[in-house]
């Protein structure tokens, strides 16, 4: 089990041909994929709250002060920087699509499309929404979908930034979104603090799955099926597979027991992290009651446990990438962060 030490991460890590990139405090670090050695570090000057994004030879992060930084993936040298909000709070994870960067600002609640080569603004949408979502937006068939914390789902024309629709949903329950939504089965599927929703491309709620939980759900998808785990409540410790078009349960698997009352005294599926989908399995992030991390490897077809990886020195931070059969994971242990390569 390979492991490298770094500053505490607030986002996840991303893997590209040049290395594994992670941001801890104000420093972006690139690790060698083979031995975990540090290839370079770049201090951007303010805390980075999101997961780095890579496009071509550039890696991008947004910091808490409102500045987006573009660095060379091989050297770490800064290529350009741009400020797209002056309010503190930083940005969502950055979506890279259609040869552009799409990002949501916090504080000003704006959506911005920018050029990756120089940071020039292509268009900017300034909303009256109180708080946009912390997960990256998603692009599908020319429409950009943005989930929010306070006001449902926003849909913009990806070419012009024009608002196409804004859907709050029944009984104002479309709020408190986290993570990145997915498009599957003709639906925009996303989790909130209470439910998982299927929303049509025109903004209507097609189905709702009540998770009986008060913690964030983040979904992943493959072949028009969505997957998510439950942290707390009646279904705590359960992993679900739903038909994305209908919301019908395909299978439900109890991975572990989580007490509804002894909140920190039992193992729990980590909220806000979508299962990683591989060709035959799902990787599910778990926090042990002693504070260590574990990864459950689960059969994608029926939810049965295949294997469990134990002994990670801290809580898993974000989505776990799998590249060329290797698992890369960042964890937090007090004031320290660790990056693991498992294979």
């Amino acid at each position: 089990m390979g492991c490298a030490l770094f500053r505490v991460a607030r986002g996840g890590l991303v893997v590209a041909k040049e290395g594994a990139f992670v941001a801890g405090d104000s420093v972006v670090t690139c690790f060698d994929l083979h031995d975990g050695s540090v290839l370079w570090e770049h201090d951007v000057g303010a805390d980075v709250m999101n997961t780095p994004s890579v496009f071509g030879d550039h890696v991008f992060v947004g910091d808490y002060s409102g500045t987006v930084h573009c660095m060379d993936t091989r050297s770490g040298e800064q290529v350009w920087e741009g400020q797209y909000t002056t309010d503190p709070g930083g940005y969502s994870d950055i979506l890279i699509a259609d040869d552009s960067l799409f990002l949501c600002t916090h504080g000003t609640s704006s959506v911005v499309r920018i050029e990756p080569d120089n940071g020039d603004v292509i268009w900017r949408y300034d909303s009256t929404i109180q708080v946009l979502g912390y997960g990256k937006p998603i692009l599908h068939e020319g429409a950009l979908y943005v989930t929010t914390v306070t006001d449902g789902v926003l849909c913009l024309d990806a070419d012009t930034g024009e608002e196409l629709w804004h859907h709050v949903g029944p009984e104002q329950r479309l709020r408190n979104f986290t993570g990145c939504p997915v498009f599957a089965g003709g639906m925009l599927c996303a989790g909130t603090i209470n439910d998982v929703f299927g929303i049509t491309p025109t903004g209507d709620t097609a189905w709702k799955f009540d998770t009986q939980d008060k913690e964030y759900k983040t979904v992943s998808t493959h072949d028009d099926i969505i997957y998510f785990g439950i942290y707390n409540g009646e279904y705590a410790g359960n992993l679900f597979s739903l038909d994305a078009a209908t919301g019908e349960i395909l299978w439900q698997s109890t991975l572990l027991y989580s007490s509804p009352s002894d909140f920190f005294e039992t193992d729990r599926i980590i909220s806000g992290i979508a299962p990683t989908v591989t060709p035959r399995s799902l990787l599910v992030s778990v926090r042990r009651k002693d504070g260590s991390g574990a990864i459950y490897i689960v059969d994608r077809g029926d939810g049965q446990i295949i294997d469990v990886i134990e002994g990670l020195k801290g809580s898993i931070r974000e989505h776990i990438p799998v590249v060329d059969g290797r698992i890369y994971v960042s964890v937090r242990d007090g004031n320290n962060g660790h990056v693991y390569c498992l294979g």
Side-chain angles (χ1 to χ4, degrees), residues 34-293:
H34 302 289
D35 60 15
S37 61
V38 174
L39 298 178
W40 55 259
E41 292 182 316
H42 182 96
D43 192 331
V44 300
D47 284 350
V48 176
M49 311 300 289
N50 56 11
T51 299
S53 298
V54 174
F55 180 64
D57 296 329
H58 297 158
V59 56
F60 305 90
V61 297
D63 69 34
Y64 190 77
S65 71
T67 302
V68 172
H69 303 266
C70 172
M71 292 153 284
D72 186 282
T73 55
R74 292 159 296 191
S75 67
E77 294 181 1
Q78 183 156 291
V79 178
W80 59 260
E81 67 175 35
Q83 190 162 28
Y84 305 98
T85 178
T86 56
D87 289 347
Y91 300 94
S92 66
D93 286 351
I94 298 171
L95 171 68
I96 299 175
D98 282 359
D99 295 328
S100 298
L101 309 183
F102 296 87
L103 52 92
C104 302
T105 71
H106 299 142
T108 54
S109 292
S110 301
V111 185
V112 188
R113 179 174 180 173
I114 60 180
E115 294 278 4
D117 292 334
N118 52 29
D120 289 348
V121 174
I122 299 173
W123 55 253
R124 180 186 183 97
Y125 173 87
D126 294 315
S127 78
T128 58
I129 294 171
Q130 185 177 355
V131 184
L132 296 178
Y134 291 95
K136 71 174 68 174
I138 185 172
L139 181 65
H140 181 76
E141 295 183 350
L144 186 74
Y145 298 90
V146 180
T147 54
T148 79
V149 175
T150 55
D151 295 279
V153 179
L154 176 68
C155 181
L156 306 177
D157 185 296
D159 290 330
T160 65
E162 177 186 0
E163 181 179 320
L164 299 179
W165 52 260
H166 177 203
H167 179 52
V168 177
E171 301 175 357
Q172 303 292 309
R173 288 177 69 86
L174 273 177
R175 55 193 300 135
N176 290 313
F177 283 99
T178 185
C180 179
V182 299
F183 219 96
M187 300 288 170
L188 179 74
C189 301
T192 71
I193 200 169
N194 296 297
D195 313 295
V196 176
F197 287 91
I199 301 166
T200 69
T202 55
D204 298 318
T205 299
W207 55 262
K208 179 189 75 173
F209 180 83
D210 189 343
T211 64
Q212 304 296 319
D213 184 15
K214 298 298 180 183
E215 286 291 334
Y216 294 117
K217 274 72 59 180
T218 306
V219 302
S220 53
T221 184
H222 184 78
D223 285 345
D224 294 333
I225 298 172
I226 63 170
Y227 308 94
F228 57 90
I230 304 294
Y231 178 77
N232 195 29
E234 179 181 341
Y235 297 135
N238 278 251
L239 186 67
F240 284 87
S241 169
L242 305 187
D243 184 304
T246 65
E248 176 188 358
I249 298 176
L250 301 179
W251 53 256
Q252 175 184 350
S253 176
T254 302
L255 301 187
L256 48 88
Y257 169 75
S258 297
S259 169
S261 56
D262 296 327
F263 197 72
F264 293 105
E265 299 302 320
T266 53
D267 302 336
R268 294 190 181 275
I269 294 174
I270 299 177
S271 67
I273 302 180
T276 296
V277 180
T278 75
R280 64 177 293 259
S281 65
L282 304 171
L283 306 184
V284 182
S285 302
V286 169
R287 179 188 63 81
R288 295 299 191 199
K289 63 182 180 180
D290 64 3
S292 65

